[in-house]
Amino acid sequence: AQSVTQPDIHITVSEGASLELRCNYSYGATPYLFWYVQSPGQGLQLLLKYFSGDTLVQGIKGFEAEFKRSQSSFNLRKPSVHWSDAAEYFCAVILTGGGADGLTFGKGTHLIIQP
Amino acid sequence: KAGVTQTPRYLIKTRGQQVTLSCSPISGHRSVSWYQQTPGQGLQFLFEYFSETQRNKGNFPGRFSGRQFSNSRSEMNVSTLELGDSALYLCASSQDSNTGELFFGEGSRLTVL
């Protein structure tokens, strides 16, 4: 069965510092890959997605992610974080062409921003 | 363009009762998916409706059901509530859920006492 692992439950970063959130997936083929963000009391918002092609994808709010097939990873990065980036970040996958199980999400990484 | 609207936002029920949650998708979106979010299990897929038909279903008991109306609005129902059903229930709409690009509502927070 497909699975998504986000090894870091919590990450604390100083404002202005760079950020990398890790995501690994286990799947028989390369799925579609996503990062979603959830602010407190809110629903999820799509940050970026990877379907195919260029392995470095740009998203909203200055985020980017790099797909590495050899490592089955899709890590999220941001060169300089802002206090407003404090939130829960979810990596997600879906079978290429759609899946009967919908999106499979990782457990999430809680990002804390230190002033 | 209005986003995904879920009602009610918060509700409290007791064990054994049933609950109905509503979701209005973004105009023009025909797919509506439901997810359950809990601290222990994270985000889990419940089901997806497309053009009034249930297209996919997650691994939840039959107490969880849903439907979609001709205007794409969707409802989900949970019968015989259990304490473990306490969760944030998220609805998401899309033009094509097979792409995984979902637009989520803010959720309905259900507490079962």
Side-chain angles (χ1 to χ4, degrees), chain B residues 35-57:
Chain B
Y35 288 79
Q36 182 196 64
Q37 185 177 24
T38 60
Q41 298 299 315
L43 284 150
Q44 293 184 287
F45 173 70
L46 281 158
F47 29 65
E48 184 231 348
Y49 287 85
F50 184 87
S51 293
E52 301 180 64
T53 301
Q54 186 180 86
R55 192 158 66 173
N56 294 305
K57 189 177 190 304

mmCIF file of all heavy atoms in Angstrom, chain B residues 35-57:
data_model
loop_
_atom_site.group_PDB
_atom_site.id
_atom_site.type_symbol
_atom_site.label_atom_id
_atom_site.label_comp_id
_atom_site.label_asym_id
_atom_site.label_seq_id
_atom_site.Cartn_x
_atom_site.Cartn_y
_atom_site.Cartn_z
ATOM 1 N N TYR B 35 -12.760 14.130 4.044
ATOM 2 C CA TYR B 35 -11.644 13.589 4.808
ATOM 3 C C TYR B 35 -11.916 13.778 6.292
ATOM 4 O O TYR B 35 -12.530 14.762 6.708
ATOM 5 C CB TYR B 35 -10.327 14.298 4.452
ATOM 6 C CG TYR B 35 -9.790 13.942 3.091
ATOM 7 C CD1 TYR B 35 -10.318 14.522 1.936
ATOM 8 C CD2 TYR B 35 -8.766 13.001 2.950
ATOM 9 C CE1 TYR B 35 -9.837 14.182 0.684
ATOM 10 C CE2 TYR B 35 -8.281 12.660 1.708
ATOM 11 C CZ TYR B 35 -8.813 13.257 0.577
ATOM 12 O OH TYR B 35 -8.329 12.902 -0.656
ATOM 13 N N GLN B 36 -11.443 12.812 7.074
ATOM 14 C CA GLN B 36 -11.493 12.920 8.524
ATOM 15 C C GLN B 36 -10.094 13.221 9.038
ATOM 16 O O GLN B 36 -9.132 12.575 8.611
ATOM 17 C CB GLN B 36 -11.985 11.599 9.139
ATOM 18 C CG GLN B 36 -12.107 11.633 10.651
ATOM 19 C CD GLN B 36 -12.219 10.237 11.259
ATOM 20 O OE1 GLN B 36 -11.294 9.436 11.153
ATOM 21 N NE2 GLN B 36 -13.346 9.962 11.897
ATOM 22 N N GLN B 37 -9.989 14.198 9.927
ATOM 23 C CA GLN B 37 -8.684 14.537 10.494
ATOM 24 C C GLN B 37 -8.725 14.391 12.011
ATOM 25 O O GLN B 37 -9.529 15.041 12.689
ATOM 26 C CB GLN B 37 -8.269 15.965 10.124
ATOM 27 C CG GLN B 37 -6.859 16.307 10.599
ATOM 28 C CD GLN B 37 -6.417 17.703 10.167
ATOM 29 O OE1 GLN B 37 -7.227 18.584 9.914
ATOM 30 N NE2 GLN B 37 -5.107 17.891 10.042
ATOM 31 N N THR B 38 -7.873 13.530 12.535
ATOM 32 C CA THR B 38 -7.741 13.336 13.977
ATOM 33 C C THR B 38 -6.265 13.404 14.344
ATOM 34 O O THR B 38 -5.395 13.128 13.515
ATOM 35 C CB THR B 38 -8.298 11.970 14.423
ATOM 36 O OG1 THR B 38 -7.571 10.937 13.740
ATOM 37 C CG2 THR B 38 -9.777 11.847 14.134
ATOM 38 N N PRO B 39 -5.968 13.747 15.601
ATOM 39 C CA PRO B 39 -4.560 13.814 16.022
ATOM 40 C C PRO B 39 -3.854 12.467 15.882
ATOM 41 O O PRO B 39 -2.677 12.423 15.534
ATOM 42 C CB PRO B 39 -4.651 14.247 17.486
ATOM 43 C CG PRO B 39 -5.955 14.956 17.589
ATOM 44 C CD PRO B 39 -6.874 14.247 16.649
ATOM 45 N N GLY B 40 -4.559 11.382 16.117
ATOM 46 C CA GLY B 40 -3.916 10.078 16.096
ATOM 47 C C GLY B 40 -3.745 9.488 14.706
ATOM 48 O O GLY B 40 -2.698 8.942 14.375
ATOM 49 N N GLN B 41 -4.766 9.594 13.894
ATOM 50 C CA GLN B 41 -4.752 8.968 12.573
ATOM 51 C C GLN B 41 -4.409 9.932 11.444
ATOM 52 O O GLN B 41 -4.177 9.501 10.311
ATOM 53 C CB GLN B 41 -6.112 8.328 12.281
ATOM 54 C CG GLN B 41 -6.498 7.227 13.249
ATOM 55 C CD GLN B 41 -5.497 6.083 13.218
ATOM 56 O OE1 GLN B 41 -5.069 5.632 12.153
ATOM 57 N NE2 GLN B 41 -5.098 5.615 14.392
ATOM 58 N N GLY B 42 -4.388 11.211 11.734
ATOM 59 C CA GLY B 42 -4.100 12.180 10.692
ATOM 60 C C GLY B 42 -5.272 12.343 9.746
ATOM 61 O O GLY B 42 -6.426 12.218 10.143
ATOM 62 N N LEU B 43 -4.958 12.602 8.498
ATOM 63 C CA LEU B 43 -5.983 12.825 7.478
ATOM 64 C C LEU B 43 -6.291 11.510 6.773
ATOM 65 O O LEU B 43 -5.402 10.876 6.204
ATOM 66 C CB LEU B 43 -5.485 13.844 6.447
ATOM 67 C CG LEU B 43 -5.496 15.295 6.909
ATOM 68 C CD1 LEU B 43 -4.393 16.080 6.230
ATOM 69 C CD2 LEU B 43 -6.856 15.913 6.604
ATOM 70 N N GLN B 44 -7.561 11.133 6.802
ATOM 71 C CA GLN B 44 -7.970 9.891 6.166
ATOM 72 C C GLN B 44 -9.137 10.142 5.214
ATOM 73 O O GLN B 44 -10.078 10.847 5.558
ATOM 74 C CB GLN B 44 -8.380 8.864 7.224
ATOM 75 C CG GLN B 44 -7.222 8.396 8.097
ATOM 76 C CD GLN B 44 -7.665 7.325 9.058
ATOM 77 O OE1 GLN B 44 -8.357 7.594 10.036
ATOM 78 N NE2 GLN B 44 -7.270 6.092 8.790
ATOM 79 N N PHE B 45 -9.054 9.522 4.068
ATOM 80 C CA PHE B 45 -10.055 9.682 3.017
ATOM 81 C C PHE B 45 -11.325 8.919 3.373
ATOM 82 O O PHE B 45 -11.289 7.734 3.695
ATOM 83 C CB PHE B 45 -9.469 9.159 1.704
ATOM 84 C CG PHE B 45 -10.431 9.092 0.567
ATOM 85 C CD1 PHE B 45 -10.907 10.253 -0.028
ATOM 86 C CD2 PHE B 45 -10.837 7.874 0.059
ATOM 87 C CE1 PHE B 45 -11.781 10.189 -1.099
ATOM 88 C CE2 PHE B 45 -11.702 7.804 -1.010
ATOM 89 C CZ PHE B 45 -12.183 8.957 -1.588
ATOM 90 N N LEU B 46 -12.447 9.613 3.307
ATOM 91 C CA LEU B 46 -13.739 8.988 3.568
ATOM 92 C C LEU B 46 -14.412 8.528 2.283
ATOM 93 O O LEU B 46 -14.679 7.351 2.097
ATOM 94 C CB LEU B 46 -14.661 9.980 4.294
ATOM 95 C CG LEU B 46 -14.416 10.138 5.787
ATOM 96 C CD1 LEU B 46 -14.964 11.461 6.279
ATOM 97 C CD2 LEU B 46 -15.047 8.985 6.549
ATOM 98 N N PHE B 47 -14.735 9.458 1.422
ATOM 99 C CA PHE B 47 -15.346 9.130 0.123
ATOM 100 C C PHE B 47 -15.310 10.340 -0.796
ATOM 101 O O PHE B 47 -15.018 11.458 -0.377
ATOM 102 C CB PHE B 47 -16.786 8.614 0.245
ATOM 103 C CG PHE B 47 -17.562 9.128 1.422
ATOM 104 C CD1 PHE B 47 -17.889 10.472 1.530
ATOM 105 C CD2 PHE B 47 -17.972 8.262 2.425
ATOM 106 C CE1 PHE B 47 -18.607 10.947 2.618
ATOM 107 C CE2 PHE B 47 -18.708 8.711 3.505
ATOM 108 C CZ PHE B 47 -19.022 10.055 3.611
ATOM 109 N N GLU B 48 -15.628 10.060 -2.043
ATOM 110 C CA GLU B 48 -15.642 11.097 -3.069
ATOM 111 C C GLU B 48 -16.877 10.934 -3.936
ATOM 112 O O GLU B 48 -17.251 9.810 -4.294
ATOM 113 C CB GLU B 48 -14.396 11.042 -3.946
ATOM 114 C CG GLU B 48 -14.335 12.186 -4.958
ATOM 115 C CD GLU B 48 -14.094 11.712 -6.369
ATOM 116 O OE1 GLU B 48 -13.746 10.533 -6.567
ATOM 117 O OE2 GLU B 48 -14.239 12.542 -7.295
ATOM 118 N N TYR B 49 -17.503 12.042 -4.227
ATOM 119 C CA TYR B 49 -18.673 12.049 -5.098
ATOM 120 C C TYR B 49 -18.389 12.884 -6.329
ATOM 121 O O TYR B 49 -17.721 13.921 -6.264
ATOM 122 C CB TYR B 49 -19.887 12.604 -4.355
ATOM 123 C CG TYR B 49 -20.434 11.641 -3.345
ATOM 124 C CD1 TYR B 49 -19.907 11.588 -2.063
ATOM 125 C CD2 TYR B 49 -21.434 10.739 -3.683
ATOM 126 C CE1 TYR B 49 -20.373 10.677 -1.140
ATOM 127 C CE2 TYR B 49 -21.918 9.820 -2.763
ATOM 128 C CZ TYR B 49 -21.377 9.793 -1.490
ATOM 129 O OH TYR B 49 -21.832 8.891 -0.583
ATOM 130 N N PHE B 50 -18.906 12.408 -7.435
ATOM 131 C CA PHE B 50 -18.758 13.112 -8.706
ATOM 132 C C PHE B 50 -20.070 12.968 -9.449
ATOM 133 O O PHE B 50 -20.528 11.849 -9.691
ATOM 134 C CB PHE B 50 -17.607 12.532 -9.517
ATOM 135 C CG PHE B 50 -17.337 13.266 -10.796
ATOM 136 C CD1 PHE B 50 -16.501 14.367 -10.799
ATOM 137 C CD2 PHE B 50 -17.921 12.865 -11.988
ATOM 138 C CE1 PHE B 50 -16.247 15.061 -11.976
ATOM 139 C CE2 PHE B 50 -17.675 13.549 -13.159
ATOM 140 C CZ PHE B 50 -16.840 14.648 -13.157
ATOM 141 N N SER B 51 -20.656 14.094 -9.793
ATOM 142 C CA SER B 51 -21.937 14.086 -10.507
ATOM 143 C C SER B 51 -22.951 13.162 -9.837
ATOM 144 O O SER B 51 -23.550 12.289 -10.478
ATOM 145 C CB SER B 51 -21.723 13.668 -11.966
ATOM 146 O OG SER B 51 -20.975 14.644 -12.652
ATOM 147 N N GLU B 52 -23.098 13.343 -8.547
ATOM 148 C CA GLU B 52 -24.108 12.671 -7.716
ATOM 149 C C GLU B 52 -23.826 11.181 -7.493
ATOM 150 O O GLU B 52 -24.648 10.489 -6.889
ATOM 151 C CB GLU B 52 -25.510 12.823 -8.330
ATOM 152 C CG GLU B 52 -25.934 14.278 -8.500
ATOM 153 C CD GLU B 52 -27.327 14.412 -9.110
ATOM 154 O OE1 GLU B 52 -28.293 13.973 -8.466
ATOM 155 O OE2 GLU B 52 -27.426 14.953 -10.233
ATOM 156 N N THR B 53 -22.683 10.689 -7.939
ATOM 157 C CA THR B 53 -22.343 9.276 -7.777
ATOM 158 C C THR B 53 -21.116 9.136 -6.891
ATOM 159 O O THR B 53 -20.143 9.873 -7.055
ATOM 160 C CB THR B 53 -22.070 8.629 -9.147
ATOM 161 O OG1 THR B 53 -23.228 8.758 -9.957
ATOM 162 C CG2 THR B 53 -21.714 7.150 -8.987
ATOM 163 N N GLN B 54 -21.176 8.179 -5.982
ATOM 164 C CA GLN B 54 -19.993 7.908 -5.176
ATOM 165 C C GLN B 54 -18.973 7.213 -6.054
ATOM 166 O O GLN B 54 -19.202 6.088 -6.530
ATOM 167 C CB GLN B 54 -20.340 7.039 -3.964
ATOM 168 C CG GLN B 54 -19.156 6.846 -3.019
ATOM 169 C CD GLN B 54 -19.503 5.972 -1.821
ATOM 170 O OE1 GLN B 54 -19.425 4.750 -1.874
ATOM 171 N NE2 GLN B 54 -19.915 6.608 -0.736
ATOM 172 N N ARG B 55 -17.838 7.838 -6.224
ATOM 173 C CA ARG B 55 -16.839 7.300 -7.146
ATOM 174 C C ARG B 55 -15.776 6.492 -6.408
ATOM 175 O O ARG B 55 -15.257 5.515 -6.937
ATOM 176 C CB ARG B 55 -16.198 8.447 -7.927
ATOM 177 C CG ARG B 55 -15.370 8.014 -9.097
ATOM 178 C CD ARG B 55 -15.194 9.103 -10.134
ATOM 179 N NE ARG B 55 -14.422 10.242 -9.641
ATOM 180 C CZ ARG B 55 -14.030 11.247 -10.451
ATOM 181 N NH1 ARG B 55 -14.322 11.219 -11.725
ATOM 182 N NH2 ARG B 55 -13.378 12.270 -9.955
ATOM 183 N N ASN B 56 -15.429 6.937 -5.215
ATOM 184 C CA ASN B 56 -14.425 6.231 -4.416
ATOM 185 C C ASN B 56 -14.844 6.237 -2.958
ATOM 186 O O ASN B 56 -15.545 7.150 -2.516
ATOM 187 C CB ASN B 56 -13.054 6.893 -4.553
ATOM 188 C CG ASN B 56 -12.498 6.785 -5.950
ATOM 189 O OD1 ASN B 56 -12.386 5.690 -6.497
ATOM 190 N ND2 ASN B 56 -12.147 7.913 -6.544
ATOM 191 N N LYS B 57 -14.352 5.245 -2.220
ATOM 192 C CA LYS B 57 -14.703 5.153 -0.816
ATOM 193 C C LYS B 57 -13.492 4.678 -0.033
ATOM 194 O O LYS B 57 -12.811 3.737 -0.451
ATOM 195 C CB LYS B 57 -15.871 4.187 -0.605
ATOM 196 C CG LYS B 57 -16.442 4.192 0.802
ATOM 197 C CD LYS B 57 -17.635 3.256 0.903
ATOM 198 C CE LYS B 57 -18.379 3.412 2.228
ATOM 199 N NZ LYS B 57 -17.529 3.212 3.407
#
